[in-house]
Amino acid sequence: MLAKLEWFRLGGETSERQWWDVVGVVRVTPAVDRAYLRHWAAPLGVTDLLDRALADAVSPDG
């Protein structure tokens, strides 16, 4: 997930596939270790994207 978020960022945040892959993983893995993801998202510079993906995963619009 973190690698996909990093690729999404490096690709100009334009790849819908990368984005929805991450959101889909969160949806089918509700017990994902969010503390671990948050810990490693910071040094990768994708904390904002992780927060957005977690929100999109539970949003009825997402």
Side-chain angles (χ1 to χ4, degrees), residues 3-4 6 9 13 17 28 33-34 37-39 43 49 52-54 57-59:
K4 283 197 171 280
E6 189 175 29
R9 164 90 8 108
E13 301 181 24
R17 178 175 182 149
V28 300
D33 188 343
R34 291 173 187 226
L37 292 174
R38 289 187 191 283
H39 173 81
L49 294 177
R52 195 168 104 205
L54 293 171
V58 296
S59 169

Side-chain angles (χ1 to χ4, degrees), residues 16-30:
E16 295 244 347
R17 178 175 182 149
Q18 295 293 342
W19 181 253
W20 292 112
D21 281 354
V22 171
V23 172
V25 168
V26 175
R27 283 184 175 159
V28 300
T29 315

